[in-house]
Amino acid sequence: MSRMIDIRSKITNQLPVIQITDEIVVTVNNRKSNILKVQAFVIEQEKQAEKNRNEFDEVKFMNDVLTMLIGEKNAKAIEDLDLPLPDYKTVYEEIMKAATGEQEGNRFQK
Protein backbone atom coordinates (compact mmCIF):
# COMPACT_ATOMS: atom_id res chain seq x y z
CA MET A 1 0.00 0.00 0.00
CA SER A 2 1.22 3.51 -0.82
CA ARG A 3 2.03 6.00 1.88
CA MET A 4 -0.25 9.06 1.76
CA ILE A 5 1.48 12.43 2.20
CA ASP A 6 -0.96 15.23 3.01
CA ILE A 7 0.27 18.71 2.08
CA ARG A 8 -3.08 20.51 2.33
CA SER A 9 -1.99 22.46 5.42
CA LYS A 10 1.08 23.79 3.57
CA ILE A 11 -0.89 25.27 0.67
CA THR A 12 -2.48 28.58 1.61
CA ASN A 13 -3.21 30.05 -1.83
CA GLN A 14 -2.68 33.47 -0.24
CA LEU A 15 -0.60 36.23 -1.79
CA PRO A 16 2.03 37.97 0.36
CA VAL A 17 1.31 41.52 1.51
CA ILE A 18 4.06 44.07 2.24
CA GLN A 19 3.66 47.36 4.05
CA ILE A 20 5.97 49.95 2.46
CA THR A 21 4.76 53.07 4.30
CA ASP A 22 1.78 53.86 6.51
CA GLU A 23 -0.19 54.56 3.33
CA ILE A 24 1.29 52.03 0.89
CA VAL A 25 0.44 48.38 1.43
CA VAL A 26 0.96 46.13 -1.59
CA THR A 27 -0.09 42.61 -2.49
CA VAL A 28 2.62 40.72 -4.36
CA ASN A 29 1.33 38.64 -7.26
CA ASN A 30 3.56 35.61 -6.86
CA ARG A 31 1.32 33.25 -8.79
CA LYS A 32 3.33 30.84 -10.90
CA SER A 33 1.94 32.27 -14.16
CA ASN A 34 3.03 35.79 -13.21
CA ILE A 35 6.49 34.70 -12.08
CA LEU A 36 6.96 32.96 -15.44
CA LYS A 37 6.13 36.28 -17.15
CA VAL A 38 8.66 38.07 -14.94
CA GLN A 39 11.30 35.45 -15.78
CA ALA A 40 10.61 35.85 -19.51
CA PHE A 41 10.92 39.63 -19.12
CA VAL A 42 14.27 39.26 -17.32
CA ILE A 43 15.62 37.00 -20.07
CA GLU A 44 14.49 39.45 -22.75
CA GLN A 45 16.13 42.36 -20.92
CA GLU A 46 19.39 40.41 -20.61
CA LYS A 47 19.35 39.71 -24.35
CA GLN A 48 18.70 43.38 -25.16
CA ALA A 49 21.48 44.52 -22.84
CA GLU A 50 23.87 42.08 -24.50
CA LYS A 51 22.86 43.31 -27.94
CA ASN A 52 23.28 46.96 -26.87
CA ARG A 53 26.80 46.48 -25.53
CA ASN A 54 25.62 45.89 -21.96
CA GLU A 55 23.81 49.20 -21.68
CA PHE A 56 21.24 48.60 -18.98
CA ASP A 57 18.88 50.95 -17.10
CA GLU A 58 18.71 49.27 -13.70
CA VAL A 59 16.13 51.63 -12.20
CA LYS A 60 13.77 51.24 -15.17
CA PHE A 61 14.22 47.48 -14.98
CA MET A 62 13.35 47.42 -11.27
CA ASN A 63 10.30 49.62 -11.89
CA ASP A 64 9.11 47.34 -14.71
CA VAL A 65 9.47 44.24 -12.54
CA LEU A 66 7.68 45.94 -9.63
CA THR A 67 4.84 46.87 -11.98
CA MET A 68 4.49 43.21 -12.94
CA LEU A 69 4.51 42.04 -9.32
CA ILE A 70 2.46 44.71 -7.51
CA GLY A 71 0.55 46.47 -10.27
CA GLU A 72 0.95 49.80 -12.00
CA LYS A 73 -0.83 51.88 -9.35
CA ASN A 74 1.34 50.57 -6.50
CA ALA A 75 4.56 50.79 -8.52
CA LYS A 76 3.73 54.43 -9.32
CA ALA A 77 3.01 55.17 -5.65
CA ILE A 78 6.45 53.82 -4.74
CA GLU A 79 8.06 55.74 -7.62
CA ASP A 80 6.33 58.93 -6.41
CA LEU A 81 8.01 58.57 -3.01
CA ASP A 82 11.26 59.55 -4.77
CA LEU A 83 13.23 57.39 -2.37
CA PRO A 84 17.01 57.41 -2.20
CA LEU A 85 18.29 54.66 -4.50
CA PRO A 86 19.42 52.35 -1.65
CA ASP A 87 15.91 52.54 -0.14
CA TYR A 88 14.29 51.93 -3.53
CA LYS A 89 16.52 48.87 -3.95
CA THR A 90 15.44 47.67 -0.48
CA VAL A 91 11.77 47.92 -1.50
CA TYR A 92 12.54 46.04 -4.73
CA GLU A 93 14.52 43.33 -2.92
CA GLU A 94 11.84 42.76 -0.29
CA ILE A 95 9.13 42.48 -2.92
CA MET A 96 11.31 40.01 -4.85
CA LYS A 97 11.83 37.99 -1.66
CA ALA A 98 8.08 37.87 -1.13
CA ALA A 99 7.57 36.84 -4.75
CA THR A 100 10.03 33.96 -4.45
CA GLY A 101 9.15 32.85 -0.92
CA GLU A 102 12.39 34.07 0.68
CA GLN A 103 10.64 36.27 3.25
CA GLU A 104 11.94 37.01 6.74
CA GLY A 105 15.26 35.27 6.36
CA ASN A 106 13.80 31.95 5.21
CA ARG A 107 15.19 30.70 1.95
CA PHE A 108 12.01 28.74 1.23
CA GLN A 109 8.53 28.84 2.70
CA LYS A 110 7.77 26.11 5.18
Side-chain angles (χ1 to χ4, degrees), residues 62-71 75 78 88 91-92 95:
M62 288 189 295
N63 191 55
D64 290 344
V65 170
L66 288 179
T67 299
M68 296 174 81
L69 293 172
I70 62 173
I78 292 168
Y88 187 77
V91 169
Y92 173 81
I95 290 172

Side-chain angles (χ1 to χ4, degrees), residues 33-78:
S33 59
N34 195 48
I35 298 303
L36 290 173
K37 289 176 189 174
V38 171
Q39 287 177 338
F41 174 76
V42 169
I43 290 167
E44 182 60 33
Q45 293 302 305
E46 288 173 347
K47 286 179 183 177
Q48 285 184 7
E50 204 173 282
K51 190 177 4 176
N52 296 330
R53 289 176 249 127
N54 292 324
E55 292 178 20
F56 183 71
D57 185 342
E58 181 180 13
V59 175
K60 181 181 181 329
F61 172 82
M62 288 189 295
N63 191 55
D64 290 344
V65 170
L66 288 179
T67 299
M68 296 174 81
L69 293 172
I70 62 173
E72 191 172 335
K73 179 182 172 188
N74 288 324
K76 174 137 178 45
I78 292 168

